Amino acid sequence: MFTGIVEELGKLVSLEMGSDSGVITVEANKVLEGCQPGDSIAVNGVCLTVVGRGRDGLAFEVGPETRTRTSLGRLRPGDGVNLERPLRFGGAL
């Protein structure tokens, strides 16, 4: 569950789309804290699963349906993206 409160403005580093799916890489700082592969992050309001974590950012797999039905497929490197971590059990709203 997400609160809708954007925690950070990240930057799209790369968008590599194949015929079936693709990977987007986002530069981030704050949402990296405690984030691991398998965690969920909302990117521009779209819930995505972290598939990779680097020193300066996160990678997410994007399927064809997500790419065509959201704004994520129109992003270009350098574009800003809103990042939000999910609400944690017992966390304040």
Side-chain angles (χ1 to χ4, degrees), residues 1 3-4 10-11 13-16 31 49 52 55 69 72-75 84 86-89 92:
M1 174 187 280
T3 63
K11 182 172 73 171
V13 175
S14 66
L15 174 65
E16 300 171 14
V31 299
T49 301
R55 191 172 54 104
R69 297 205 179 261
L72 297 180
R74 294 186 297 276
L75 292 173
E84 176 190 355
L87 181 63
R88 299 288 182 201
F89 182 74

Side-chain angles (χ1 to χ4, degrees), residues 32-74:
L32 282 174
E33 297 170 14
C35 187
Q36 299 297 324
D39 289 349
S40 295
I41 301 286
V43 179
N44 280 358
V46 180
C47 178
L48 298 176
T49 301
V50 176
V51 295
R53 183 183 192 278
R55 191 172 54 104
D56 297 327
L58 300 166
F60 305 90
E61 186 173 28
V62 179
E65 191 76 8
T66 301
R67 181 178 67 194
T68 59
R69 297 205 179 261
T70 70
S71 64
L72 297 180
R74 294 186 297 276

